[in-house]
Each structure stands twice: as structure tokens, then as C-alpha cells.
Amino acid sequence: MLLASGVVLLIYSWRLGALGDARQERRHATAVARRFGLPPDAVDDTLVRRIARRQRFVQTGVLVGLLFTPFLQAWFVPLYAGLALGAAVDQVAAPRLPADTPRVAHVTDLRLSAYVPAWLLVASALGAACAPVLLLVWAVAPRTPPVPVADPSTAGAVTLAALSLLGLGVSLGLARFVVGRPQAAGSSTELAVDDALRAQAVRDALHITAVVSLTTTMVLGLKEGEVGGALRYLGGALPVVLLAGIALAGITHELTAGPKHWRRLVAA
């Protein structure tokens, strides 16, 4: 399974131009520009290199995650975590532009909702709330068999819920960092490219809270064997609902032209 996944990933990476093939890189950059709603003249060597660089970070993260799949029952969690971390490292490690770079920027400060739909931010917050909700359910549900009040697993459950909220804070903080970086561009086309890449980076940052929430909720969901009554079914169902919600949010974002959401900046 691990070998097959690795082969599929390498083939997929080559098709996306993440393995150094110049023609594949330009082809992928052209497809990304179309998906972002960028004009055709925006696809230059700089954009091709920028997108290929991000893709390599993401693929490296996924490959690292692939190494951990044999040790976890939920094999997709480390793959998703690798994708999120690869995208985050790409943004944090991006080189700063020289101070004297020609500047064409928006006249007002921009909010996160300028780059991704507000509903996606709300959905991320609701996902982060799943682990705290499970913690409350686990705290009030009857035990089977009874456990002492000072059960050591209580501290672990509280920690997982706190980690879920921390993941949301890290995601929003990274997204705010991306949006707050000085915009530097020499033309309106370069500014459009910058906005498009920022929109992609903000969406990538939300992957962090999604993967942390999914992981903590799944671990807390395993506590259902310790509780009785009807509430224990919520512990088993909520991780599945969250996983389906993450997939549905991604599909909805694509089908509703989410990658082009930033273009309302141009019309404003």
C-alpha cells in the first residue's frame, strides 16, 4: 500500500510539474492561472517558478507524511498534515522582496474574507469546535465501566480540545501573516498575481486547522468505548461528519469559483 501510494504520488507530481520538467511546469502554471482567473499574460517565468516552488514544498510535505502512514490507523491524516505543513513552510520561507521594489498596492488594508469566502472561515471555526464539543460530551456521558474522577485520560482529553483551538489560532495567524506582508508589484498584472497567490496561501493556511481538528476529534472519538448511553454514538459519528464536511467544503469552494473570490478586489 505504501509503495503503491508513493508511485501514484510521484506520477501525480510529474503531471503537476513538480519534478523539474519545464514544459510540465508551464502547463501546470497556465492551468492554475486559469483557475485563479488571471489574465493570459500573467503566465510568465516568475509565476511558473513561484507555482512550481509551492508545489515542491507541498509534495515534499506529503512524501514526509507518507512515511508515517504505516504507524497510524487513519493513514490519510499524515498525508493531509504533510500537505498543510508543506504549504505553510512555502509561505513562511518565501524570500522577502527588496525594499526598493516598485510598489502598486491596494489603498486599504485587506481582511481574510477578501481572499477566501467568509463561509469558509466560519466552517473552519466550526470544525475547530468539534473537539471541545466531544470533550463536553465525554465529560457528561455515563461511564462504562465507571472510572475515577481523577482519571488520567481527562487531562489528555482537555489537551486535545485545547490543541484543536490552538490549530485554529495558528491557521488564522498564518493567514493574517500572509495577508499582512507588504505588496510589491510593478504593474496591475503583477498585483493580480500577488492577490491570487495570497488567496491560495490563505486557503492553504486553513488546512492546518482542518487537519488538527480532524486528528484531535478522531482521537477523542476513540473514547466512545469508555462511555455509555446514546451520547457515545456522537463520539463515533462526529469524526466522520467532520471528515465529510472538510471534503464538502473543498468541493463547494471549487464549484463556487472560490479560487477567483479575490477578484472582487479588482471590481471594488
Side-chain angles (χ1 to χ4, degrees), residues 111-126 172 202 206 253 256 258 261-262 264:
R111 296 176 297 178
L112 297 184
S113 58
Y115 290 101
V116 294
W119 68 261
L120 192 58
L121 297 173
V122 173
S124 299
L126 291 176
L172 296 180
V202 170
L206 296 181
H253 183 256
T256 56
H261 176 77
W262 65 272
R264 75 185 186 90

Side-chain angles (χ1 to χ4, degrees), residues 168-261:
L168 177 63
V170 171
S171 261
L172 296 180
L174 179 60
R176 189 66 253 179
F177 166 78
V178 169
V179 173
R181 297 188 74 175
Q183 289 181 301
S187 67
S188 58
T189 298
E190 290 181 12
L191 183 60
V193 169
D194 180 84
D195 281 330
L197 293 177
R198 284 171 192 255
Q200 175 71 32
V202 170
R203 196 206 67 172
D204 288 341
L206 296 181
H207 282 305
I208 296 177
T209 186
V211 71
V212 172
S213 299
L214 180 61
T215 303
T216 55
T217 303
M218 290 186 68
V219 174
L220 277 172
L222 297 178
K223 302 289 185 182
E224 64 172 319
E226 298 179 3
V227 299
L231 287 177
R232 74 183 182 87
Y233 295 108
L234 180 62
L238 197 54
V240 178
V241 172
L242 179 58
L243 180 60
I246 291 173
L248 181 61
I251 294 172
T252 303
H253 183 256
E254 292 294 327
L255 293 181
T256 56
K260 300 178 183 179
H261 176 77

